[in-house]
């Protein structure tokens, strides 16, 4: 039974990722982005971001799965290719941590474009780098 | 002595005249059989070598059709629009006559004055960036829908299958694929899997074929210039064969994901290239841009003779 549930859940995740990955040449933020974030070169954590443009706003999620985090706000300033997104994630104490990511998109026209930048969560801060899945 | 000089001069002059006569009629021409057929017919596309410059070879990678390369054969003489017995214009070849195809589709749908196009800010920025960095999916062998289908180097064939009430648009170059326009009165399905060519239905408005397409994905550019779109694109094309050799083409773009209002392109003209057929073109073979296909290369020099 557990196996069936797990298989079904995995299938849903794959379908979600596939649907997002089909969008490639539309809005530059749309797609699935892979990379990492951390406080230093040795303290790194995986980061998967799925973003979608509906014509008016960008929505999405961070690290899809049982502990996915919905993105509260995501914007693109196309004059500077500046990317901004925010998300609230549950912490171990049961509270919420507010993450803010600010980065710059590079190789905008390429399918494997990247976003590099910094993040903050309260007083903690660091850097992140994600690359768009082709 | 004077007579012998005169004889030599006459001999040289005669030989020159003979040489000119032979080259003009093509009798003395070597190389590929198509060398004399290409050249004047091919409408030049931006970034492509001039017709005839490649010695019978087509543009880019893939199998080349030798004499069937870009531009094809001689243009047919001016004639009125061919029509079916019911009076509707024929959009492609005329049964019983030599076959042909259309060349010279729109390479840039957006007006030169970009203020005339109701871009959303991101779409305008992307369009401008694409003028600098050209990573067009077509060069990676992806099928390209909308008007990009008509901007292949080797022309496009419109094949009417009246008994089946559908029209096929075959494009050469790229992935060697086709689009179906359903002419049987059906509507678009309520749910569509997004695709490169979308779902096309057509009808006649007088002598104009109106094609309505939805269900696009975002995996291609609408034209070679990189006019952006999203999956919300609703694309309406109007084809009018104003005479035997001329196909007028105009499109209306409705895409609230990329534009603030619907907009209509200028009128573009495609020309009939008679005595030619589509040929086998396998984009993936001998592709000059494998790095672009897997995304590891950041730029491509389009000033080169061969552009993948």
């Amino acid at each position: 039974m557990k196996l069936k549930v797990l298989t079904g859940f995995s299938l849903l995740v794959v379908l979600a990722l596939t649907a997002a990955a089909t969008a490639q040449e539309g809005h530059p933020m749309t797609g699935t982005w892979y990379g990492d974030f951390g406080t230093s070169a040795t303290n790194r954590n995986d980061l998967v971001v799925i973003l979608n443009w509906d014509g008016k706003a960008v929505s999405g999620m961070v690290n899809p799965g049982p502990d996915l985090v919905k993105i509260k706000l995501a914007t693109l300033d196309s004059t500077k290719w500046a990317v901004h997104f925010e998300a609230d994630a549950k912490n171990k104490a049961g509270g919420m941590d507010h993450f803010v990511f600010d980065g710059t998109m590079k190789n905008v026209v390429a399918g494997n474009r990247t976003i590099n930048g910094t993040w903050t969560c309260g007083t903690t801060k660091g850097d992140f780098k994600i690359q768009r899945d082709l | 002595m004077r007579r012998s000089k005169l004889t030599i001069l006459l001999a040289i002059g005669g030989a020159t005249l003979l040489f000119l006569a032979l080259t003009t009629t093509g009798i003395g021409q070597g190389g590929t059989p198509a060398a004399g057929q290409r050249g004047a017919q091919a409408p030049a596309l931006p970034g492509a070598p001039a017709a005839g410059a490649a010695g019978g070879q087509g543009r880019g990678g893939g199998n080349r059709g030798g004499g069937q390369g870009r531009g094809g054969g001689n243009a047919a003489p001016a004639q009125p629009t061919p029509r079916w017995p019911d009076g509707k214009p024929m959009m492609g070849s005329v049964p019983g006559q030599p076959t042909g195809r259309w060349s010279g589709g729109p390479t840039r749908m957006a007006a030169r004055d970009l203020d005339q196009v109701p871009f959303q800010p991101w779409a305008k920025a992307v369009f401008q960036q694409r003028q600098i960095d050209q990573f067009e999916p077509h060069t990676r062998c992806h099928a390209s829908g909308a008007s990009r289908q008509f901007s292949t180097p080797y022309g496009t064939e419109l094949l009417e299958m009246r008994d089946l009430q559908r029209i096929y648009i075959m494009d050469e170059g790229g992935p060697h694929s086709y689009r179906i326009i359903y002419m049987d009165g059906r509507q678009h399905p309520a749910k569509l899997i997004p695709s490169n060519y979308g779902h096309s239905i057509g009808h006649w408005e007088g002598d104009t074929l109106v094609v309505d397409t939805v269900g696009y994905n975002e995996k291609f550019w609408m034209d070679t210039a990189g006019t952006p779109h999203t999956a919300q694109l609703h694309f309406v094309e109007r084809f009018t064969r104003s005479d035997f050799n001329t196909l007028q083409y105009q499109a209306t773009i409705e895409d609230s994901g990329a534009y603030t209002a619907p907009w209509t392109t200028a009128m573009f003209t495609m020309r009939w290239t008679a005595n030619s057929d589509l040929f086998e073109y396998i984009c993936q073979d001998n592709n000059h841009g494998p790095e672009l296909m897997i995304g590891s290369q950041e730029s491509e020099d389009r000033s080169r003779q061969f552009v993948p």
Side-chain angles (χ1 to χ4, degrees):
Chain A
M1 185 61 187
K2 276 186 178 177
L3 186 62
K4 280 186 179 176
V5 172
L6 188 63
T7 305
F9 178 75
S10 302
L11 187 61
L12 284 174
V13 170
V14 168
L15 286 174
L17 289 172
T18 305
T22 55
Q24 294 191 358
E25 302 290 338
H27 191 282
M29 285 177 73
T30 296
T32 303
W33 303 75
Y34 297 94
D36 61 21
F37 73 112
T39 55
S40 68
T42 54
N43 176 16
R44 309 303 295 176
N45 302 280
D46 288 340
L47 180 62
V48 178
V49 183
I50 296 179
L51 298 171
N52 184 52
W53 168 253
D54 67 3
K56 293 180 179 174
V58 178
S59 59
M61 66 181 83
V62 176
N63 290 345
D67 299 320
L68 74 85
V69 177
K70 278 194 174 181
I71 288 176
K72 287 178 63 179
L73 173 70
T75 60
L76 171 70
D77 178 352
S78 56
T79 62
K80 303 172 185 170
W81 298 116
V83 174
H84 174 91
F85 58 95
E86 301 178 15
D88 290 334
K90 278 186 183 175
N91 58 33
K92 289 177 182 174
M96 300 298 281
D97 288 332
H98 183 61
F99 285 84
V100 178
F101 293 81
D102 283 292
T104 302
M105 191 179 290
K106 291 184 178 175
N107 292 333
V108 174
V109 179
N112 59 348
R113 47 190 169 266
T114 59
I115 303 173
N116 295 0
T118 58
W119 61 272
T120 61
C121 179
T123 56
T124 310
K125 58 186 178 181
D127 68 295
F128 77 99
K129 179 176 181 178
I130 50 179
Q131 182 174 41
R132 195 174 171 288
D133 186 34
L134 285 172
Chain B
M1 188 62 184
R2 278 185 182 172
R3 179 176 289 181
S4 61
K5 275 187 178 177
L6 187 63
T7 305
I8 291 170
L9 282 172
L10 285 172
I12 292 172
T16 305
L17 284 173
L18 182 61
F19 174 75
L20 286 173
L22 287 174
T23 51
T24 304
T25 56
I27 296 172
Q29 190 171 45
T32 62
Q37 295 181 357
R38 303 179 79 253
Q41 312 308 325
L45 293 176
Q57 292 184 338
R59 175 187 172 209
N63 294 344
R64 287 159 186 144
Q68 300 174 4
R70 184 155 68 96
N74 299 319
Q79 295 173 27
T81 304
R83 295 180 183 275
W84 294 103
D86 65 2
K88 294 297 181 196
M90 291 182 178
M91 303 308 285
S93 298
V94 176
Q97 293 189 22
T99 55
R101 52 203 158 125
W102 296 105
S103 301
T107 56
R108 175 182 165 129
M109 289 191 295
R112 294 292 164 186
D113 180 2
L114 294 184
D115 290 337
Q116 294 178 13
V117 180
F119 286 110
Q120 287 199 25
W122 74 265
K124 186 172 185 178
V126 164
F127 178 79
Q128 290 172 327
Q129 194 68 35
R130 285 176 178 172
Q131 310 315 300
I132 304 167
D133 303 318
Q134 300 182 347
F135 290 97
E136 191 192 0
H138 193 85
T139 66
R140 304 192 296 276
C141 305
H142 285 274
S144 298
S147 73
R148 181 65 180 89
Q149 191 181 18
F150 300 99
S151 302
T152 67
Y154 308 103
T156 309
E157 182 172 0
L158 271 66
L159 181 61
E160 293 176 88
M161 302 191 76
R162 302 196 103 208
D163 49 344
L164 297 177
Q165 293 185 289
R166 60 184 62 183
I167 298 172
Y168 285 82
I169 301 178
M170 314 280 192
D171 60 87
E172 192 68 80
H176 195 82
S177 193
Y178 61 88
R179 169 160 60 121
I180 302 174
I181 301 169
Y182 297 103
M183 299 292 293
D184 54 8
R186 72 178 71 184
Q187 300 298 307
H188 295 301
K191 291 184 178 178
L192 280 169
I193 297 174
S195 59
N196 290 41
Y197 290 122
H199 184 270
S200 296
I201 52 177
H203 68 276
W204 290 96
E205 291 181 5
D207 281 352
T208 298
L209 171 65
V210 181
V211 179
D212 187 295
T213 306
V214 296
Y216 288 107
N217 63 27
E218 298 178 356
K219 298 170 79 171
F220 65 94
W221 290 7
M222 286 198 295
D223 56 17
T224 56
T227 305
H229 76 281
T230 71
Q232 298 175 39
L233 174 63
H234 175 205
F235 196 71
V236 179
E237 298 158 290
R238 301 177 71 84
F239 302 81
T240 307
R241 190 171 190 172
S242 53
D243 63 37
F244 195 100
N245 294 333
T246 308
L247 186 65
Q248 304 284 354
Y249 178 88
Q250 191 172 40
T252 298
I253 291 112
E254 185 180 351
D255 181 356
S256 59
Y259 303 94
T260 57
W263 59 283
T264 299
T265 68
M267 187 72 79
F268 297 97
T269 300
M270 288 185 256
R271 301 293 296 173
W272 183 250
T273 304
N275 303 312
S276 63
D277 282 308
L278 299 182
F279 56 93
E280 181 172 289
Y281 180 104
I282 308 299
C283 176
Q284 291 83 353
D285 284 358
N286 197 26
N287 192 315
H288 292 255
E291 294 85 2
L292 282 172
M293 294 178 75
I294 58 173
S296 63
Q297 188 168 313
E298 294 185 353
S299 65
E300 180 64 28
D301 178 7
R302 283 188 168 250
S303 64
R304 296 186 306 164
Q305 184 178 12
F306 290 105
V307 179

